[in-house]
């Protein structure tokens, strides 16, 4: 469905919010919920700054998230479920919201975790921050479920308008806090946050998430990637960060510069093993493509295989989903 791509673009949108359009969406959402329009709308540069603004609000009244977001969503879902039946609803969700759910949910969870981490100066602060986050409507990151209802009634029109033009927002009886969208978003081909030379997600005020192929990393860690050495990699105590270092540095380069010794070789290739303290071994098979390149050289490939692998042939067979005994290639290509 075409509108799924539209909502995918909304979820990934960066750049300044259209404040006028977003504010009109807020007012529409309040009117649709039978509420008086908010007296004040406060803008913040990031979800972190928005939580800080929420904590400073006075005279805002109680949260009306249930009336503005939770209730209308539940009613519309019930209406469509009754109209389409269980099978029809499941098919609709599969073709729309399910296409966006994993990436938007994961991103929202990462943002929440980062806000909690940055605003928790004392242990007792954490519960207050988490409570403030519970009041948030996710704006553009509600794209998954908004995609499922697109074109099927106007009960959610206000929510959809805010989502198209802004980030997270906090609705209270007489005041609303709205966050700007990020200014940068970098993902890999699997949709995971990924950047090796800066923040993978960044907001105008500097609030940012750093990640390498989906794994959260400290900002300072990325600065090290350009000057890694085998010794520095071995010295890293955090097993997950060490894996990132190895992946960035290159297993073949690490093996070469570490003066590693092969543990097995046969007609299929050479088996190498990297023993890592506190982590499973990294085992690689070095294979040479029998088909020459245009310049006559033969390209070498490195295949990562399970730690239990004992022979090169077993490792190559595993990459084809076969056991060692069943792997008997007629001709290498």
């Amino acid at each position: 469905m075409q509108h799924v791509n539209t909502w995918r673009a909304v979820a990934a949108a960066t750049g300044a919010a259209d404040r006028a359009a977003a504010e009109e969406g807020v007012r529409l959402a309040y009117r649709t919920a039978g509420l008086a329009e908010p007296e004040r709308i406060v803008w913040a540069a990031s979800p972190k700054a928005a939580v800080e603004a929420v904590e400073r609000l006075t005279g805002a009244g109680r949260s009306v998230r249930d009336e503005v977001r939770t209730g209308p969503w539940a009613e519309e879902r019930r209406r469509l479920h009754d109209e389409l039946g269980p099978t029809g609803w499941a098919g609709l969700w599969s073709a729309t919201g399910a296409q966006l759910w994993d990436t938007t949910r994961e991103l929202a969870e990462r943002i929440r975790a980062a806000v909690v981490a940055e605003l928790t100066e004392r242990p007792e602060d954490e519960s207050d921050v988490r409570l403030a986050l519970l009041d948030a409507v996710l704006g553009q990151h509600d794209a998954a479920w908004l995609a499922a209802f697109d074109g099927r009634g106007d009960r959610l029109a206000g929510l959809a308008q805010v989502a198209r033009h802004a980030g997270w927002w906090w609705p209270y009886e007489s005041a609303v806090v709205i966050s700007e969208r990020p200014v940068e978003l970098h993902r890999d081909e699997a949709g995971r946050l990924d950047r090796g030379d800066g923040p993978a997600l960044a907001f105008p005020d500097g609030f940012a998430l750093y990640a390498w192929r989906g794994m959260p990393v400290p900002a300072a860690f990325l600065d090290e990637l350009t000057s890694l050495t085998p010794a520095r990699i071995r010295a890293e105590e955090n097993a997950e960060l060490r894996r990132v270092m190895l992946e960035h540095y290159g297993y073949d380069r690490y093996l070469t510069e570490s003066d590693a010794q092969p543990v097995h070789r046969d007609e299929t290739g050479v088996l190498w093993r990297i023993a890592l303290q506190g982590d499973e071994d990294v085992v690689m098979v070095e294979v040479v493509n029998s088909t020459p390149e245009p310049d006559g050289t033969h390209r070498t490939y490195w295949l990562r295989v399970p730690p239990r692998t004992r022979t090169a042939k077993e490792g190559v067979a595993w990459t084809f989903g076969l056991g060692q005994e069943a792997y008997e290639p007629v001709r290498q290509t």
Side-chain angles (χ1 to χ4, degrees):
M1 296 185 182
Q2 181 58 41
H3 61 263
V4 174
N5 291 329
T6 299
W7 283 104
R8 181 177 285 109
V10 167
T14 57
D18 183 334
R19 294 192 174 190
E23 290 179 10
E24 181 51 41
V26 166
R27 296 186 184 98
L28 176 57
Y30 271 63
R31 293 196 301 269
T32 302
L35 300 172
E37 295 179 8
E39 299 169 6
R40 290 175 289 156
I41 296 180
V42 178
W43 281 86
S46 69
K48 173 193 170 187
V51 169
E52 293 174 310
V54 165
E55 292 177 336
R56 293 192 300 268
L57 279 180
T58 57
R62 65 178 178 83
S63 170
V64 292
R65 183 181 187 276
D66 284 348
E67 293 94 321
V68 169
R69 195 269 198 190
T70 307
W73 176 85
E75 290 175 15
E76 285 299 284
R77 181 184 183 281
R78 188 180 306 112
R79 179 182 66 80
L80 271 181
H81 189 276
D82 291 344
E83 178 183 316
L84 301 174
T87 302
W89 165 254
L92 174 64
W93 176 253
S94 177
T96 56
Q99 305 296 313
L100 311 177
W101 178 254
D102 287 341
T103 53
T104 53
R105 177 180 54 83
E106 180 182 352
L107 185 56
E109 289 175 354
R110 293 284 299 277
I111 291 171
R112 285 192 193 96
V115 170
V116 170
E118 293 205 17
L119 294 183
T120 302
E121 297 180 1
R122 304 165 302 171
E124 56 267 31
D125 295 336
E126 182 174 343
S127 61
D128 292 338
V129 175
R130 291 190 182 278
L131 285 172
L133 286 166
L134 288 176
D135 292 338
V137 180
L138 301 188
Q140 69 181 121
H141 297 143
D142 271 332
W145 67 267
L146 287 170
F149 296 98
D150 197 338
R152 295 175 176 84
D154 57 7
R155 181 74 185 273
L156 307 178
L159 293 168
Q161 182 165 332
V162 181
R164 290 188 182 98
H165 299 291
W168 296 16
W169 57 289
W170 283 253
Y172 296 92
E173 285 180 302
S174 61
V176 169
V177 176
I178 312 180
S179 169
E180 283 282 352
R181 296 182 297 199
V183 292
E184 290 188 75
L185 174 63
H186 302 270
R187 288 173 164 157
D188 64 11
E189 63 281 356
R192 301 172 299 184
L193 289 177
D194 178 46
R195 190 179 179 190
D197 59 354
L201 180 76
F203 286 85
D205 61 353
F207 173 66
L209 304 181
Y210 294 81
W212 173 264
R213 299 194 178 176
M215 191 187 115
V217 296
F221 174 80
L222 295 177
D223 295 335
E224 282 194 90
L225 294 182
T226 57
S227 57
L228 286 174
T229 65
R232 172 66 186 92
I233 294 171
R234 286 192 295 271
E236 175 56 51
E237 295 181 356
N238 184 302
E240 291 185 331
L241 294 183
R242 190 166 56 224
R243 290 191 202 108
V244 172
M245 289 177 167
L246 275 168
E247 189 172 324
H248 186 274
Y249 195 73
Y251 294 105
D252 53 342
R253 182 182 173 195
Y254 180 87
L255 288 166
T256 300
E257 297 183 8
S258 297
D259 295 324
Q261 298 298 312
V263 296
H264 181 267
R265 66 174 70 238
D266 56 32
E267 71 279 8
T268 63
V270 182
L271 187 72
W272 301 82
R273 183 178 299 275
I274 305 172
L276 299 175
Q277 184 175 357
D279 197 5
E280 66 180 18
D281 292 353
V282 172
V283 180
M284 311 286 294
V285 178
E286 176 188 359
V287 297
V288 177
N289 190 353
S290 61
T291 303
E293 299 295 311
D295 62 1
T297 60
H298 292 263
R299 181 176 296 181
T300 298
Y301 293 92
W302 298 81
L303 310 174
R304 187 167 182 181
V305 296
R308 65 177 183 275
T309 305
R310 294 293 176 262
T311 69
K313 184 177 180 181
E314 180 187 355
V316 174
W318 177 85
T319 67
F320 288 98
L322 300 172
Q324 179 172 320
E325 298 76 12
Y327 179 68
E328 292 293 344
V330 175
R331 179 175 62 92
Q332 274 192 315
T333 58

